[in-house]
Amino acid sequence: MRKLDALQRLKTGSEPFVKFPSGSTPLPTRNNPKLFGYLWPTLFPYGVGMMEDYDVRSNDSLGFRNVEMRTHVSHLLQSGPTRRFQTHLSFIFVMGNLLQRRQTSFNAKLAVKKSWFPRVETLLEKISESTIKEYSEKLQKNPFVCPETEGEKAAAQLIKYVNYIGESIPGSMTEVQNMREEMFSIVNTDGLPHIFLTLNPSDTNNPIAQVLAGRDIDLDKFFDDLKPGSENMERSTFIAQNPIAAAQFFDTSVRNLLDILLG
């Protein structure tokens, strides 16, 4: 339906649109603020305010400073009366993907089993920096290329002993395993918990969540003007269109409940 509506507006000319051609040359996602203007011309219509725009430097008269991408995105998602960043269809998902990819790269480590240390040390001595560069170029051209020199054979064998590990990635199995180990450690130290509590606030049935999502309602008279049959669908639609509001409602509800129960 969304595509049909867009085609209808395009044919009738009832609303302006942006013609954006595609290309075959990939663009870098780091230190390239113009990329975000290319991706979302409706969010950055004037070509300013994009993330990582380091061309805007601070001086004596202006208080501009460099802001990290995560902080900048968080600010955009929590500001603006129109909630255009919160309700955009792709902004949240694309930026979440970029941030996760960067975190994966920055927190990645190479791990080797302790029993393999002597073997790995011997292989490292046979490999030079130029060997790694030349062998990497060969693999980029042909992933099935066979090592030829002694250094390349050592590098190919070394890859078998080295594991690539990413830590502190939200939602990853590594994070889940770390949380389990932390829970087991707490139980071993302090004993079993006395209260097991599952919190699941209903965002589609709470008027506070509707206000956070941008719905103009009076909380004091919320139940005086309900629409029979369609009210539940309208509530669900507002929450589905604004996941940031749903997250804010969950955070607020859980924090207040824990504060009341546990002080």
Side-chain angles (χ1 to χ4, degrees):
M1 288 299 296
R2 188 178 296 115
K3 292 182 179 179
L4 290 176
D5 292 339
L7 290 174
Q8 184 178 7
R9 296 191 187 100
L10 180 63
K11 296 294 291 185
T12 58
S14 57
E15 295 183 8
F17 65 92
V18 178
K19 182 180 180 181
F20 204 88
S22 60
S24 58
T25 304
L27 296 176
T29 60
R30 175 172 292 279
N31 298 328
N32 186 16
K34 293 182 179 180
L35 171 67
F36 306 111
Y38 299 153
L39 288 174
W40 303 293
T42 57
L43 296 180
F44 305 101
Y46 300 104
V48 295
M50 284 88 72
M51 287 71 71
E52 295 185 332
D53 190 359
Y54 298 136
D55 291 336
V56 181
R57 300 293 181 179
S58 60
N59 52 43
D60 297 334
S61 59
L62 299 176
F64 293 140
R65 61 184 179 88
N66 294 337
V67 180
E68 293 183 358
M69 178 181 287
R70 183 178 296 274
T71 305
H72 196 159
V73 173
S74 177
H75 170 75
L76 293 177
L77 292 177
Q78 300 181 43
S79 62
T82 60
R83 298 177 174 84
R84 57 197 179 102
F85 288 94
Q86 296 181 5
T87 57
H88 196 274
L89 296 177
S90 64
F91 179 78
I92 300 176
F93 299 101
V94 173
M95 294 309 304
N97 179 266
L98 289 178
L99 291 172
Q100 190 174 46
R101 284 167 53 191
R102 292 188 179 187
Q103 192 170 2
T104 304
S105 302
F106 292 160
N107 295 323
K109 299 178 180 179
L110 296 178
V112 180
K113 290 184 179 180
K114 187 176 181 180
S115 58
W116 292 347
F117 279 2
R119 206 173 307 175
V120 171
E121 184 179 2
T122 303
L123 293 174
L124 280 175
E125 293 177 354
K126 299 179 181 179
I127 303 173
S128 63
E129 184 177 352
S130 59
T131 301
I132 297 176
K133 183 178 179 180
E134 293 174 359
Y135 189 49
S136 299
E137 294 176 353
K138 290 182 179 180
L139 289 175
Q140 290 178 357
K141 296 178 180 179
N142 181 13
F144 303 101
V145 67
C146 296
E148 299 175 354
T149 64
E150 182 179 358
E152 292 179 354
K153 294 179 180 179
Q157 192 174 2
L158 180 62
I159 296 176
K160 300 178 182 179
Y161 297 106
V162 178
N163 294 321
Y164 185 83
I165 298 177
E167 297 182 355
S168 304
I169 307 302
S172 64
M173 292 304 299
T174 303
E175 185 185 44
V176 174
Q177 183 64 28
N178 291 338
M179 293 173 64
R180 288 178 179 176
E181 294 177 356
E182 184 178 0
M183 291 174 59
F184 293 151
S185 301
I186 294 175
V187 171
N188 291 332
T189 304
D190 301 331
L192 291 173
H194 299 284
I195 299 177
F196 292 89
L197 182 64
T198 300
L199 301 179
N200 186 20
S202 178
D203 47 15
T204 57
N205 296 319
N206 195 298
I208 299 178
Q210 300 297 306
V211 173
L212 293 175
R215 189 174 177 186
D216 186 14
I217 60 176
D218 188 352
L219 293 177
D220 296 328
K221 301 179 180 179
F222 180 72
F223 295 101
D224 295 338
D225 190 23
L226 296 180
K227 302 175 183 178
S230 63
E231 179 63 26
N232 187 38
M233 178 62 69
E234 189 170 354
R235 296 179 192 174
S236 302
T237 301
F238 265 87
I239 292 298
Q241 292 177 346
N242 195 333
I244 301 299
Q248 290 176 340
F249 168 73
F250 180 85
D251 182 74
T252 302
S253 301
V254 173
R255 287 182 182 274
N256 288 335
L257 183 58
L258 292 179
D259 185 60
I260 294 172
L261 292 178
L262 305 178

